[in-house]
Each structure stands twice: as C-alpha cells, then as structure tokens.
Amino acid sequence: MCRCFNDVQRDIRSIRLPLWGRVDQAEGLVPWLVLDESGLPAEPIRR
C-alpha cells in the first residue's frame, strides 16, 4: 500500500515499529489506555 504525502509516494508496508506496549480498553472519560511493556499505564500519556 502506498500513501502520498506532499507528492511523495511511500510504501508503508516497510515501516517497522518496536513492540513495547499496547493500547487497551478502559473505563471512564477516555475509553482507552496506552500500556507499557509491563502492562501498566504509561503515565506521561495517561496524564
């Protein structure tokens, strides 16, 4: 899949990101949490 940005085509299938956490459902005002590799909420994002 190619995406265009500023008239430049990029193959986004080649992008690799480190696996160090996940996004999960939560209760409350914000319906999701970003969790770190230990499964705990990432505090800078949570705040």
Side-chain angles (χ1 to χ4, degrees):
M1 171 184 290
C2 289
R3 299 283 183 181
C4 294
F5 182 71
N6 292 337
D7 298 326
V8 175
Q9 288 192 352
R10 296 189 176 121
D11 184 359
I12 61 173
R13 292 175 296 187
S14 63
I15 297 172
R16 299 290 179 253
L17 299 173
L19 299 175
W20 58 267
R22 68 181 192 274
V23 176
D24 206 356
Q25 291 181 331
E27 298 289 325
L29 184 60
V30 177
W32 48 265
L33 282 174
V34 177
L35 305 173
D36 65 14
E37 64 274 1
S38 302
L40 299 172
E43 284 303 320
I45 298 170
R46 188 175 185 190
R47 282 185 247 140

